[in-house]
Amino acid sequence: GGWGGPAEWFLGAKRGLLCPFVVGTVDQLLLAATRSRHVMLRMAGLAGKVVVLDEVHAADVYMSQFLVEGLRWLGQAGVPVVLLSATLPPGQRRRLVEAYVAGAGSREELRLEALPEPGGYPSVTSAWSAVEGPCVRVDSCEGWRPDLSVALAVCSEPGPGPRASRVQERQAQQEADVAVVDLLRAQLEGGGCALVVRNTVARAQSLYSELAGVFGAGEVMLLHGRLAAGARAERTERCLGLLGVSGPGVGEGRPRRLVVVATQLAEQSFDVDVDLLVSDVAPVDLLLQRIGRLHRHGDRVRPPGLVVPQVFLTGLGGGLVEGADAGSVCGGPAFIRGSEVIYGRHLLLRTAAVVADALRPGSECGSGSGGGVWQVPGGVPGLVAAVYGDEELVPAGWREDAGAARVEWEERQRERAQSAVPFLLTRRGDKEGVTLAGLHRVAVAASGGAEGGLDGVVRDGEMGEEVVLVVREREGEVVRTLSGRALSVNGDVADELIDDVLAGTVRLPGGPASLAAAALGPLPGWVGHPRLRYARALVLDGSGWGELGEHRVHYDDVLSLTVELAQRWPVR
């Protein structure tokens, strides 16, 4: 087969880790912790390497079950592991360290009695197994740059209520968009670059439409997870070129004025510097990640009105501080429904409590003028520890609401953690073993039959199905890629067009649209192709519309994918 044979062999989802140097997603490690048929290949690929995992705070409770299992086996194999995070909660830090050391000592369970909290920020926690037992060292140092005093303000928006109709929801959304447009118009009057982070794609698309009508499409950019893969890569690269570390003189240079509207894509691995941040309220660690894009590069020359780093918080109702001060108020602030669906009310309430504390006049970080200040990054550990801790945090008037939210959150956490157990490599009682022998016999069935189809095993929730968008203007005509490259009536693909076809890959929102996508399959010309035979083709007409069961979808080069659900399905 010549040199192409070995190279193609390493493309397999199970064998990629066998390469000497591997760059991939955290899923590669998580899958090595599942009861899959070829798990020994994944583990063999990890052995002998140094494993570096970035943004480990982003692993939710379900994914953490596999992360902990993987760390246990890496500890067993003596594989050095480096875990990186700017906002890791103390409890999660302890659990990750204990898992690795337990594996290194072939222990079923291990509790580190002495795991000191870091004395500063940034910090390093080192853990290893020695002859005398587990060893831990914690150290910290001064940051490479002084703390930023980030000013906090709340831009309240009307809530449509839990039983609002679609018309009422759209009206409330439009009012919220107009408020942000007015805010940005005032703040950017003298120029500047702003990042707006919305918690849902629909909110990002809606705000972008309003902003483009005011500032013009040339001064507004939209980034979210429902962009086709090719368009998303191009927009991300352009955004990094405009606002990244390279600065003026590279690419197009920093613009006089630009507004980037994004979803959670902007939370991590997005090295841009903006003069102003507007963000929906999210759990404090994720909110701090977003704030990390604000005045990120200290050598920038800012517009006169944006010299002080400032974040405006959206996605919650008014009266935050007043409600926090009122002991008789029965209930915390209102959040947009999408935020509660994604994050749960418990963490949002605790985050709102630390925000309210900062905003309250006379507090240690309050300015006394309707705004507050967070010290970043110096205040990051304390804020994260407070929100993710067990101490009473919310004001008295919120406690009944917060108590119910905590019970619901803890029950949901237990359910999600338990749902991962059937897929974990080891069961209770198996964890003191020193080999993989027999652990793969009860294999997890891959979803969709694809070689790499275990993604749904290590990530729960409504991830949404991936589909490949193609265009057929009329019945019987050739199929074209999103960029307009012709294939054939059956979709036959020449080798040089494979990447162009896959650039049309887009992830549908979870829920009814993704359920309907399960009925899709590859085009006839893709069935025998190794990279397309498991792809789900969604055919659009010349206007960008397509049918997805009883639902309709639309794709364009501006907003990208939008979904119109059938009337009987509620809109989230």
Side-chain angles (χ1 to χ4, degrees):
W3 290 107
E8 184 178 351
W9 191 84
F10 279 113
L11 288 175
K14 300 182 293 291
R15 302 184 292 267
L17 285 174
L18 295 174
C19 294
F21 296 92
V22 180
V23 178
T25 64
V26 68
D27 301 61
Q28 297 302 316
L29 172 59
L30 303 184
L31 289 170
T34 64
R35 289 206 168 200
S36 48
R37 287 175 297 171
H38 302 285
V39 68
M40 69 291 294
L41 273 177
R42 300 184 195 276
M43 280 294 179
L46 292 168
K49 289 184 172 68
V50 175
V51 175
V52 181
L53 294 177
D54 196 9
E55 312 286 10
V56 290
H57 63 273
D60 60 24
V61 66
Y62 181 89
M63 293 172 62
S64 290
Q65 310 306 308
F66 300 98
L67 178 56
V68 164
E69 182 76 359
L71 289 175
R72 174 182 291 275
W73 279 98
L74 292 175
Q76 175 74 268
V79 175
V81 178
V82 180
L83 305 177
L84 303 171
S85 173
T87 55
L88 191 66
Q92 192 175 359
R93 165 178 165 266
R94 168 176 285 277
R95 189 175 181 217
L96 297 175
V97 170
E98 288 178 344
Y100 184 84
V101 177
S106 297
R107 301 269 295 275
E108 177 80 24
E109 292 181 355
L110 185 144
R111 175 75 176 177
L112 292 173
E113 298 301 332
L115 181 59
E117 290 299 322
Y121 185 90
S123 66
V124 175
T125 299
S126 303
W128 66 96
S129 183
V131 175
E132 63 272 20
C135 300
V136 178
R137 178 181 176 183
V138 178
D139 208 347
S140 60
C141 65
E142 292 186 6
W144 62 273
R145 59 178 292 187
D147 278 354
L148 284 176
S149 296
V150 177
L152 300 176
V154 173
C155 185
S156 302
E157 60 185 76
R163 297 186 179 181
S165 67
R166 294 188 183 186
V167 173
Q168 291 171 320
E169 286 190 347
R170 281 194 292 268
Q171 183 178 358
Q173 181 62 65
Q174 188 173 23
E175 292 177 14
D177 290 342
V178 169
V180 174
V181 169
D182 290 343
L183 169 69
L184 291 173
R185 186 158 39 190
Q187 292 289 323
L188 303 181
E189 184 178 7
C193 299
L195 171 64
V196 184
V197 183
R198 303 302 240 182
N199 287 346
T200 68
V201 173
R203 277 173 67 81
Q205 291 172 324
S206 177
L207 178 61
Y208 172 86
S209 297
E210 291 288 336
L211 286 169
V214 173
F215 290 101
E219 292 188 342
V220 189
M221 187 182 299
L222 178 64
L223 274 175
H224 58 73
R226 286 188 220 157
L227 283 162
R232 176 173 162 182
E234 290 172 3
R235 287 194 200 179
T236 302
E237 184 178 359
R238 180 165 182 261
C239 191
L240 292 174
L242 293 170
L243 303 177
V245 70
S246 57
V250 178
E252 300 177 55
R254 192 172 179 89
R256 177 183 176 275
R257 186 166 63 184
L258 179 68
V259 180
V260 177
V261 182
T263 55
Q264 291 87 340
L265 296 179
E267 282 177 3
Q268 54 200 30
S269 301
F270 192 57
D271 189 10
V272 299
D273 172 291
V274 296
D275 305 311
L276 177 73
L277 175 67
V278 178
S279 172
D280 280 345
V281 171
V284 72
D285 53 330
L286 305 181
L287 184 57
L288 288 166
Q289 290 283 345
R290 299 174 187 184
I291 291 174
R293 318 303 136 190
L294 184 61
H295 287 218
R296 188 176 181 87
H297 306 141
D299 58 348
R300 297 287 188 199
V301 177
R302 312 286 173 186
L306 301 174
V307 174
V308 175
Q310 184 162 16
V311 54
F312 290 88
L313 300 178
T314 56
L316 73 169
L320 182 66
V321 177
E322 293 83 350
D325 286 336
S328 60
V329 175
C330 296
F335 305 102
I336 58 170
R337 181 162 53 180
S339 295
E340 291 203 20
V341 169
I342 296 169
Y343 301 118
R345 186 165 177 79
H346 167 64
L347 291 178
L348 292 176
L349 279 173
R350 291 182 69 86
T351 298
V354 296
V355 170
D357 184 61
L359 295 175
R360 189 180 299 111
S363 69
E364 290 185 9
C365 50
S367 68
S369 59
V373 175
W374 278 352
Q375 298 298 323
V376 178
V380 166
L383 289 168
V384 174
V387 170
Y388 282 87
D390 296 322
E391 300 292 328
E392 189 64 71
L393 183 65
V394 303
W398 300 5
R399 286 177 188 167
E400 183 178 346
D401 184 0
R406 176 183 282 276
V407 169
E408 182 180 352
W409 181 77
E410 289 177 343
E411 180 61 27
R412 176 61 179 149
Q413 295 291 89
R414 282 192 294 270
E415 290 176 357
R416 294 181 68 197
Q418 190 62 32
S419 66
V421 170
F423 308 112
L424 291 174
L425 191 52
T426 55
R427 305 290 194 265
R428 186 168 184 82
D430 295 338
K431 299 183 184 298
E432 295 186 2
V434 295
T435 73
L436 297 171
L439 295 180
H440 62 288
R441 289 176 184 164
V442 184
V444 177
S447 61
E451 189 178 32
L454 292 169
D455 293 359
V457 169
V458 296
R459 293 178 184 265
D460 74 337
E462 296 182 345
M463 283 183 58
E465 294 285 349
E466 281 191 346
V467 296
V468 178
L469 301 178
V470 293
V471 178
R472 193 198 306 269
E473 295 193 5
R474 284 177 289 276
E475 190 67 31
E477 289 192 350
V478 299
V479 175
R480 298 181 180 275
T481 66
L482 278 186
S483 65
R485 304 289 294 275
L487 304 180
S488 74
V489 173
N490 293 322
D492 300 282
V493 183
D495 289 344
E496 63 270 19
L497 295 182
I498 292 297
D499 289 342
D500 199 56
V501 172
L502 293 175
T505 302
V506 67
R507 187 174 293 279
L508 297 168
S514 280
L515 290 174
L520 299 176
L523 295 175
W526 297 0
V527 173
H529 197 286
R531 294 179 65 184
L532 294 173
R533 60 184 174 184
Y534 297 116
R536 293 186 169 98
L538 177 54
V539 181
L540 307 177
D541 62 24
S543 300
W545 287 96
E547 301 293 330
L548 195 56
E550 59 184 333
H551 317 295
R552 299 184 74 209
V553 298
H554 184 260
Y555 190 90
D556 62 52
D557 294 333
V558 179
L559 296 179
S560 65
L561 187 74
T562 54
V563 179
E564 290 188 359
L565 296 178
Q567 281 298 116
R568 65 190 185 89
W569 292 96
V571 176
R572 285 189 175 179

